[in-house]
Amino acid sequence: MKIEQKTADALLETAVGVIEVDGRAYAIQRPTLATLAMASAAMAQLPKAPEGTEKTALGIQEWMMAHAMECAEPIARVAAIFIMGAKRIQEQPKVPIAIEVPTRRWSWRKMRKANGTKTETIKAMELDRLAMRLEEEMTPKQMADFVSNIITTYADLSDFFCLPLP
């Protein structure tokens, strides 16, 4: 693919694929510089392995299991950033979300307190909601394959680092 075609696809926001999360289809756009910058900021939140960590597969697996809780949210956030793109994240900061909240109320018919649920609507960032859904639904293998595929195939990082610096 020529550089002119890649540039046109990026400017026209041609979708490179579609992913379905929680019954909703998201068109994946080619990453722009702003998207790469947002993903880089989210990747910076990942914990660093200490110097004493063994470089064997078992040592890395032990470290990953010990820090899985700290790693899951930033990695899911990176995937959500690549799915939505920086432009969409900045355009629509909050969306309404309906959640079920457990309640206890007095029931005159039963003459005691009864458990029930109440639907409340809250406003949350679409990026946070998508990251949470990805974290819940995708396996680690699927997440790693998705993020690495976007970075290696569509991000064109080699072209980015070839920019002339002053």
Side-chain angles (χ1 to χ4, degrees):
M1 183 181 278
K2 291 185 176 182
I3 191 72
E4 293 86 5
Q5 183 63 38
K6 289 179 182 178
T7 306
D9 288 345
L11 291 175
L12 296 173
E13 296 182 353
T14 305
V16 295
V18 176
I19 188 169
E20 188 172 326
V21 179
D22 199 26
R24 184 172 178 193
Y26 291 92
I28 303 168
Q29 309 299 330
R30 189 172 297 275
T32 61
L33 290 175
T35 303
L36 289 174
M38 288 179 86
S40 175
M43 285 287 251
Q45 294 176 0
L46 287 170
K48 303 284 186 241
E51 293 295 322
T53 304
E54 292 182 42
K55 300 299 181 193
T56 63
L58 184 60
I60 293 171
Q61 287 175 354
E62 287 176 1
W63 183 85
M64 288 294 288
M65 289 304 292
H67 297 283
M69 200 160 119
E70 300 166 12
C71 294
E73 197 274 329
I75 291 173
R77 193 170 182 83
V78 167
I81 288 169
F82 280 127
I83 290 171
M84 292 181 64
K87 187 175 182 180
R88 182 170 173 187
I89 292 169
Q90 293 169 353
E91 283 176 354
Q92 188 178 15
K94 297 203 179 207
V95 293
I97 299 173
I99 58 170
E100 296 285 326
V101 178
T103 60
R104 287 189 53 94
R105 60 176 181 74
W106 179 260
S107 173
W108 287 102
R109 191 171 56 159
K110 296 179 182 178
M111 297 303 288
R112 61 183 170 92
K113 288 202 174 202
N115 294 329
T117 58
K118 179 178 158 185
T119 303
E120 289 185 5
T121 304
I122 60 169
K123 294 237 179 203
M125 288 191 65
E126 187 179 13
L127 176 68
D128 295 334
R129 181 179 179 275
L130 179 60
M132 183 181 67
R133 290 292 175 214
L134 289 173
E135 194 175 342
E136 292 172 354
E137 292 183 9
M138 290 181 87
T139 65
K141 173 98 172 103
Q142 290 173 329
M143 185 77 71
D145 289 345
F146 174 76
V147 172
S148 65
N149 185 28
I150 291 288
I151 290 173
T152 58
T153 307
Y154 301 110
D156 300 324
L157 293 179
S158 60
D159 296 337
F160 175 69
F161 287 112
C162 289
L163 291 173
L165 297 176

